[in-house]
Amino acid sequence: MDAKKMNFTVTEFVFLGLSSEPNTQLMLFIMFLLFYLLTVAGNIIIITIIQIEPHLQTPMYFFLTNLSFLDICYTSTNVPQMLSNMVGKKKTIPFSSCAIQMYFSLSFGMIECVLLGVMAYDRYVAICHPLHYTVIMDRNTCIQLAGVSWCSSFLSSMVINVLALSLPYCGPNVLNHFFCEVPSVLRLACTDTSFTELVVFVFSIIIVFIPFLLIVVSYMRILLSVLRMQSASGRYKALSTCASHLTVVALFYGTAIFMYMRPQSKSSRAGGKVIAVFYTVVTPMLNPLIYSLRNQDVKGALRRAIVKRST
């Protein structure tokens, strides 16, 4: 690398975004603005319904409240910046703002991974140990599990971001992405990033794979317990309470594992941006729809709220 390039320190990054065509950008702006508004509105409705309905004051819905609040935070970290870049002439972000966005985006993504694992454990206790459910999953335990999900993820993201941002960035400064994400930023470092990529991979195993393993084990135990049930209605009720969670897990984990647990040298950058759209924009929008359409308790609470408001 020549001396001139080495003396330059990156002060801002330029986003390539999802498209450079003005007409396509306008179409994407309208679509993602609609997605963002639906995400915020849908998750606020879920949180409100849970808070005002007494029979939804259970551990399952306590964690769902956390998930809905998390989805609002997660999508708000990335989408407003993306929308601004689509309509603005200047598609840049200062280095410090990129660092903040990268930290919170990674933190919220990690929290969702751990929280989905905790929610699977909650379903396991509810179905496999129903008589001890209220004792095992009391309020203090739920708060502690949620607290561990948030705190461990914030700390893990801090470690990764400190390592990533301590690398020299001396040009180029063009991000082939629509927001600041660790893999895309690391590609612009003007030094060997093998150690940092290894740390990212290790934390991905801890924060992504271990909760995923907990989900798999929990649902294997749930399936075995359901198969032993004599009543068909009991089996249906047990499985129906898990359907929404499994759908969310499939959507989020399928894309997150593909993005973070593969060798970066083999990654498709254009494909990576499409994958990122799913777990940062589409999944947070679909979560409230999944939990409202596939969950009888939430559907019933919504109907009662609508009837009460109209009378």
Side-chain angles (χ1 to χ4, degrees):
M1 191 173 290
D2 60 58
K4 183 178 179 182
K5 198 171 186 180
M6 285 298 294
N7 289 333
F8 173 70
T9 301
V10 170
T11 58
E12 65 178 15
F13 291 108
V14 180
F15 292 112
L16 286 184
L18 294 169
S19 174
S20 58
E21 293 292 328
N23 290 336
T24 305
Q25 284 190 341
L26 179 60
M27 182 185 71
L28 289 173
F29 173 82
I30 294 170
M31 182 174 69
F32 287 124
L33 177 61
L34 179 62
F35 283 1
Y36 180 62
L37 294 175
L38 286 172
T39 299
V40 175
N43 282 292
I44 287 175
I45 289 171
I46 292 291
I47 293 170
T48 304
I49 289 296
I50 292 172
Q51 295 306 308
I52 64 175
E53 281 289 328
H55 77 282
L56 296 182
Q57 305 301 309
T58 64
M60 174 181 170
Y61 294 105
F62 169 79
F63 293 124
L64 180 55
T65 300
N66 272 262
L67 183 65
S68 294
F69 177 70
L70 174 63
D71 282 339
I72 294 171
C73 294
Y74 192 22
T75 193
S76 296
T77 304
N78 307 314
V79 176
Q81 173 77 48
M82 178 175 63
L83 294 174
S84 174
N85 291 337
M86 285 178 178
V87 295
K89 292 183 179 179
K90 194 176 181 182
K91 305 180 189 303
T92 61
I93 184 171
F95 187 90
S96 58
S97 298
C98 181
I100 293 169
Q101 185 183 61
M102 192 164 66
Y103 171 70
F104 282 106
S105 177
L106 183 60
S107 296
F108 294 140
M110 286 179 161
I111 294 165
E112 184 140 354
C113 290
V114 181
L115 197 58
L116 288 173
V118 169
M119 292 173 77
Y121 175 72
D122 169 71
R123 291 297 82 211
Y124 157 72
V125 176
I127 294 170
C128 299
H129 304 282
L131 298 179
H132 301 99
Y133 179 58
T134 55
V135 176
I136 297 173
M137 300 299 292
D138 61 10
R139 183 162 183 80
N140 286 336
T141 301
C142 291
I143 292 171
Q144 288 168 7
L145 288 172
V148 167
S149 301
W150 287 78
C151 293
S152 62
S153 300
F154 278 130
L155 289 173
S156 299
S157 180
M158 178 71 74
V159 173
I160 291 172
N161 277 270
V162 166
L163 285 174
L165 297 172
S166 64
L167 298 172
Y169 294 90
C170 44
N173 68 333
V174 179
L175 277 173
N176 188 13
H177 216 313
F178 58 88
F179 74 101
C180 290
E181 191 172 30
V182 174
S184 58
V185 171
L186 283 179
R187 293 190 191 106
L188 301 183
C190 50
T191 188
D192 181 47
T193 61
S194 300
F195 176 72
T196 305
E197 288 182 14
L198 178 62
V199 172
V200 171
F201 185 76
V202 169
F203 273 95
S204 296
I205 292 174
I206 296 170
I207 300 294
V208 178
F209 186 71
I210 291 179
F212 182 70
L213 192 61
L214 176 62
I215 292 169
V216 172
V217 172
S218 295
Y219 276 107
M220 285 176 63
R221 298 292 297 272
I222 287 170
L223 182 60
L224 291 173
S225 181
V226 168
L227 291 175
R228 287 196 294 265
M229 291 181 181
Q230 300 298 321
S231 167
S233 60
R235 287 196 295 269
Y236 174 78
K237 184 178 179 181
L239 291 175
S240 65
T241 63
C242 302
S244 301
H245 181 255
L246 277 173
T247 306
V248 171
V249 167
L251 283 171
F252 184 79
Y253 264 97
T255 52
I257 288 175
F258 182 81
M259 188 69 179
Y260 280 91
M261 297 193 69
R262 59 178 180 167
Q264 290 301 314
S265 59
K266 296 181 181 178
S267 63
S268 167
R269 296 182 185 183
K273 288 191 286 187
V274 175
I275 296 293
V277 166
F278 271 90
Y279 62 77
T280 60
V281 182
V282 177
T283 301
M285 178 195 68
L286 291 178
N287 283 355
L289 292 175
I290 292 167
Y291 275 103
S292 60
L293 294 177
R294 298 185 65 89
N295 188 298
Q296 296 299 322
D297 290 335
V298 175
K299 284 167 68 175
L302 275 170
R303 282 195 293 267
R304 286 191 294 273
I306 293 169
V307 170
K308 192 180 294 183
R309 189 172 179 83
S310 61
T311 55

